[in-house]
Amino acid sequence: MYAVFQSCGKQYKAIVGQVIQLEKLNFKIGDSIQFKDVLMIAQDKKIKIGTPFVLNSTVKGEIINHGRDKKIKIIKFKRRKHYRKQQGHRQWFTKVKITDINIIEDFKVGT
């Protein structure tokens, strides 16, 4: 069973027990988090797609870690114009372990 949910404007595929790296969330390490914006749930060959979200379904997770990604370099350069600019950026992230995928209503094919 897996689910596709939305967090911070991005979509993620979640499987129970998987660790996902999301954008920075303002929670403490060890806190439980619940994502209600579930776009799709698949179990075996049954698929439930929301319009836009699947009603009464949640993805639960636990905050494991906060950190920063590797540095990326942004370089702007114009030849023969004596122009060169260099900048770096490290994005904050939160690692979440998916603990449960809940479906409150019955899981029916095609509805």
Side-chain angles (χ1 to χ4, degrees), residues 19-34:
V19 177
I20 299 177
Q21 184 170 312
L22 307 174
E23 296 286 324
K24 176 83 164 92
L25 300 172
N26 292 323
F27 292 96
K28 294 180 181 177
I29 295 174
D31 285 353
S32 293
I33 188 167
Q34 194 171 16

Side-chain angles (χ1 to χ4, degrees), residues 4-15:
V4 177
F5 69 95
Q6 182 176 349
S7 174
C8 301
K10 296 183 180 179
Q11 297 175 7
Y12 300 95
K13 180 180 176 182
I15 301 171

